Amino acid sequence: MSSCWKKSNVVAGFAIIIIMSVITLSYFEKINFVSMLVHEMNIFSTPIPNTTVCKGIPAHNTITPLKDSRTFIIAPYFDNRKNKMTRVISIVHHKDVKELYCWFCNSSSGEIYISKAEIDVHSDRFDFPYGATDLKCLEPKDWEPRFVSIHWSPKGDIDQLPLFEIRNRDPEGSLVDFTVCISTMFGEYNNVLQFVQSMEMYKILGVGRVVIYKNSCSPLMQKVLDYYIAEGIVEIIPWPIDSYLKVSSYWHHSMDPKDIGYYGQITALNDCVYRNMYRSRYVLLNDMDEIILPGKYSDWKTMMQNLQEQHPDAGAFLFENHIFPKTVFTPTDMFNISSWSTVPGVNILSHVVREPDRKNVFNPRKIIIDPNKVVQTSVHSVLQMYGNSIEVPMDVALIYHCRVPQQVDLPRESLIKDTTLWRYNVSLIGNVNKVIQQIAV
Ligand SMILES: *[C@@H]1O[C@H](CO)[C@@H](O)[C@H](O)[C@H]1NC(C)=O
Ligand SMILES: *[C@@H]1O[C@H](CO)[C@@H](O)[C@H](O)[C@H]1NC(C)=O
Ligand SMILES: *[C@@H]1O[C@H](CO)[C@@H](O)[C@H](O)[C@H]1NC(C)=O
Ligand SMILES: *[C@@H]1O[C@H](CO)[C@@H](O)[C@H](O)[C@H]1NC(C)=O
C-alpha cells in the first residue's frame, strides 16, 4: 500500500507540472486530460481554480440515486481506522456497476482530488441483484476533504454531480451508552402497543437513542413517533427505498425475486453503525418486535460491563433469538392494563411462553456491537471487524421475540413458560400508561 502511494505521488507531481504548463487549456479539457492519467494510477490530484469551490448539487436525502440508476448513495463516512479513507455506504447493482470515483473537494482552495473507489459489495446479498456496498476511496494525504461527489467517471462536469458532506470527520453529538438501530419500519406499520412496550423496555434497560429507518407507518404510529422524537429518544431516518427499487419483504431472493432484500435492511444497519460510531458506546441491531432481555442482570449496562470484562477484545455480542408466539396467550388479570384495549397492536405481557430449541435447527442471533470495532455488519453476524464475536449464553440474555409462531403445530405443553419480562411489570405498565394518555387513543 505505501509503495503504491509513493508511486502515485510521484506521478501526480509530474502530472501537476504538466498541467501548470498548459494553463491555456479550458476547465473541461483539463479534466479530460487528468482522467486519462486517473485510469492508469487510480488516485490523482489536480488543482482547479478557486472559482469552482465545491460546486455540485448538495444532497439532502437519505438515498441519492446517481445518473446511472444502478448506484444509490446513502452517506460518506470518514474512516481512518486502517487507511485514511472515505467509506461511502451505498447500494449498487452487483454486476452492472464496475467503476466509480470519489471526487474530493477542498473547500478552501477548490482543489479536486479524484480517487478511484474500491467497490466492495457485502457478501451477504442473498442472491438479490442489488446489495449493501462500501465504496472505499483513499483520501488526499495532505488535507481533510469535507465534501465528496461520486461519479461513474473520472471526467465530467462537477456542477451536475450530487455533493455530499463527509460525516464523522469531526465526531459530534452527545455520547450515549446504548443506541438501538431499527432497520426499516414499513408496510404502514401500526403495531402501536408492541412498539410502545418495546420502546419503554429499551428505556428501562438503558437505551439512550433509538434510530428508526422509516419507510411507512400509520397516522397513529406517526403520532407515537412524534411523541418519542419530542422526548429526544427517537431519531427518524427517512427510508423511501421503494421509490427507487423493487423491494422484497423477504430476506432471500428465492422467496420473492425483487431488486433488494427486506427493504434494504442490511444497508440501513450499516449506515446506522457508522452514523453512531462516535455517538454511542454500543449499538443494538434488532427489530421492533425484539428485546434483548437480560436474565442475569437488571439492565444492559451491568450486562455489558460484565461481558466486556470477560471478553475485552470482543466487538460483537451475539444473542439467541427465542420466539414467544403472539398466538399463545397467558392471562394477565393481575395487571391493571384494561385501558390498553383501545390501542392497536400486540400486548407482549400476554405472551410469556417460548418455543423450545429444535435439534439441528440453528437459532439466528442478533447483535450488540461496539461500533468502533465494526467494519461491515449483516443481520445475524458481523462480516468484518477489528476484534472478535462472542456468543452470549441464553441464561445471560436472550432475544424476546414476539411474533407469529415458527413451530406452528406445537402443542401448548411443549412451550416453555418464561416470565422474565414480567419482572419489569411495574415500571413498564406505568410508563406505557403515560404514553397512551399522551397520544389519547
Ligand atoms: C486544502 O488544501 C490545503 C493543502 O493543499 C490544506 O492545507 C487545507 O487544509 C485544505 N482545506 C480543506 C478544507 O480541505
Ligand atoms: C476561495 O474562494 C472563497 C470564496 O469563494 C474564499 O473565501 C477563499 O478565501 C478562496 N480561497 C483561496 C485559497 O483563494
Ligand atoms: C388502573 O390504572 C388506571 C390508569 O390506567 C388508574 O386510573 C386506576 O386507578 C388503576 N386501578 C387500580 C385498581 O389500581
Ligand atoms: C411485578 O413486578 C414486581 C416487582 O417490581 C414483582 O414483585 C411482581 O411479582 C411482578 N408481578 C408478576 C405477576 O410477575
Side-chain angles (χ1 to χ4, degrees):
M1 187 50 72
S2 66
S3 73
C4 177
W5 261 106
K6 271 184 206 137
K7 190 177 160 194
S8 68
N9 284 344
V10 169
V11 185
F14 169 68
I16 288 165
I17 291 165
I18 299 177
I19 288 168
M20 287 167 72
S21 68
V22 287
I23 43 169
T24 50
L25 284 175
S26 77
Y27 171 80
F28 287 113
E29 280 167 332
K30 251 187 233 174
I31 292 285
N32 276 329
F33 171 69
V34 165
S35 68
M36 295 182 324
L37 291 162
V38 172
H39 282 295
E40 305 293 319
M41 56 197 183
N42 289 359
I43 299 153
F44 192 68
S45 164
T46 176
I48 298 255
N50 192 20
T51 49
T52 62
V53 176
C54 299
K55 287 217 171 142
I57 304 158
H60 295 302
N61 300 327
T62 325
I63 305 175
T64 306
L66 297 191
K67 288 252 160 62
D68 66 0
S69 301
R70 290 282 188 275
T71 307
F72 302 90
I73 305 299
I74 312 304
Y77 294 94
F78 176 55
D79 182 359
N80 68 343
R81 287 174 296 176
K82 190 150 169 259
N83 299 311
K84 182 173 177 279
M85 72 166 163
T86 295
R87 180 186 299 271
V88 188
I89 306 290
S90 56
I91 296 171
V92 308
H93 190 287
H94 78 285
K95 265 201 292 221
D96 293 358
V97 179
K98 291 268 187 283
E99 210 173 311
L100 286 168
Y101 295 84
C102 287
W103 293 40
F104 291 110
C105 175
N106 181 315
S107 45
S108 51
S109 69
E111 183 181 354
I112 300 289
Y113 180 98
I114 297 173
S115 173
K116 188 173 183 182
E118 183 192 327
I119 303 173
D120 184 355
V121 182
H122 290 208
S123 55
D124 268 6
R125 188 167 45 78
F126 305 117
D127 274 358
F128 288 99
Y130 285 85
T133 303
D134 294 352
L135 310 175
K136 298 189 280 188
C137 295
L138 291 177
E139 292 187 350
K141 215 169 52 175
D142 304 325
W143 49 280
E144 310 296 321
R146 301 199 155 266
F147 297 96
V148 67
S149 292
I150 320 291
H151 192 34
W152 52 269
S153 167
K155 56 187 175 182
D157 183 356
I158 196 162
D159 291 21
Q160 300 303 312
L161 301 181
L163 183 69
F164 301 88
E165 187 162 4
I166 300 168
R167 295 167 176 267
N168 288 356
R169 174 79 56 193
D170 300 315
E172 85 278 5
S174 56
L175 185 72
V176 299
D177 283 327
F178 296 97
T179 296
V180 174
C181 290
I182 302 295
S183 58
T184 67
M185 173 178 281
F186 62 89
E188 288 298 307
Y189 189 92
N190 192 39
N191 190 352
V192 176
L193 185 55
Q194 188 169 0
F195 176 87
V196 172
Q197 289 177 321
S198 290
M199 283 296 302
E200 295 306 326
M201 278 307 298
Y202 299 158
K203 282 161 63 182
I204 289 167
L205 293 169
V207 88
R209 186 182 290 121
V210 179
V211 181
I212 301 171
Y213 288 70
K214 191 192 92 177
N215 182 265
S216 71
C217 71
S218 72
L220 179 61
M221 189 63 218
Q222 187 57 51
K223 209 167 162 188
V224 172
L225 291 177
D226 291 341
Y227 169 89
Y228 283 114
I229 293 166
E231 198 184 63
I233 290 279
V234 160
E235 216 174 273
I236 297 290
I237 313 291
W239 193 250
I241 186 158
D242 49 349
S243 307
Y244 306 105
L245 292 170
K246 291 203 261 328
V247 294
S248 173
S249 310
Y250 296 88
W251 67 276
H252 200 276
H253 186 251
S254 60
M255 299 161 90
D256 185 22
K258 302 272 174 56
D259 289 334
I260 192 162
Y262 214 68
Y263 279 75
Q265 176 186 32
I266 293 177
T267 315
L269 288 178
N270 280 277
D271 183 67
C272 201
V273 169
Y274 281 89
R275 198 176 278 265
N276 292 288
M277 193 159 278
Y278 303 108
R279 303 199 303 159
S280 195
R281 177 80 186 85
Y282 293 104
V283 171
L284 288 72
L285 308 176
N286 61 256
D287 290 338
M288 211 60 257
D289 56 1
E290 296 168 331
I291 301 164
I292 294 181
L293 198 57
K296 248 186 168 167
Y297 309 100
S298 61
D299 59 32
W300 291 335
K301 191 164 185 165
T302 329
M303 175 180 77
M304 289 313 294
Q305 274 167 353
N306 279 280
L307 286 174
Q308 196 80 74
E309 257 168 45
Q310 291 161 37
H311 311 282
D313 295 330
F317 301 84
L318 310 179
F319 297 84
E320 275 179 29
N321 183 45
H322 288 272
I323 289 172
F324 291 69
K326 68 177 184 184
T327 49
V328 182
F329 290 81
T330 302
T332 54
D333 309 332
M334 60 291 205
F335 303 129
N336 172 16
I337 52 174
S338 51
S339 62
W340 295 3
S341 58
T342 52
V343 185
V346 172
N347 172 16
I348 58 175
L349 286 173
S350 301
H351 306 288
V352 288
V353 292
R354 59 178 157 82
E355 295 182 354
D357 282 333
R358 283 168 293 178
K359 265 196 184 124
N360 312 323
V361 177
F362 177 67
N363 247 351
R365 290 169 180 262
K366 288 288 172 80
I367 325 170
I368 296 183
I369 58 155
D370 172 350
N372 273 291
K373 292 193 175 135
V374 169
V375 180
Q376 283 183 0
T377 191
S378 185
V379 181
H380 303 296
S381 65
V382 170
L383 300 178
Q384 268 183 45
M385 65 188 297
Y386 307 106
N388 45 34
S389 290
I390 296 298
E391 296 192 343
V392 179
M394 73 173 284
D395 66 308
V396 175
L398 54 71
I399 297 169
Y400 172 92
H401 189 181
C402 185
R403 47 156 278 175
V404 293
Q406 207 158 44
Q407 301 172 56
V408 182
D409 300 323
L410 212 60
R412 167 118 199 186
E413 312 81 75
S414 309
L415 295 163
I416 301 157
K417 190 160 187 184
D418 180 344
T419 56
T420 309
L421 189 68
W422 283 1
R423 285 189 199 161
Y424 303 91
N425 72 79
V426 176
S427 36
L428 178 61
I429 292 170
N431 296 357
V432 170
N433 280 339
K434 270 189 221 148
V435 183
I436 289 175
Q437 277 160 22
Q438 287 286 323
I439 59 168
V441 276

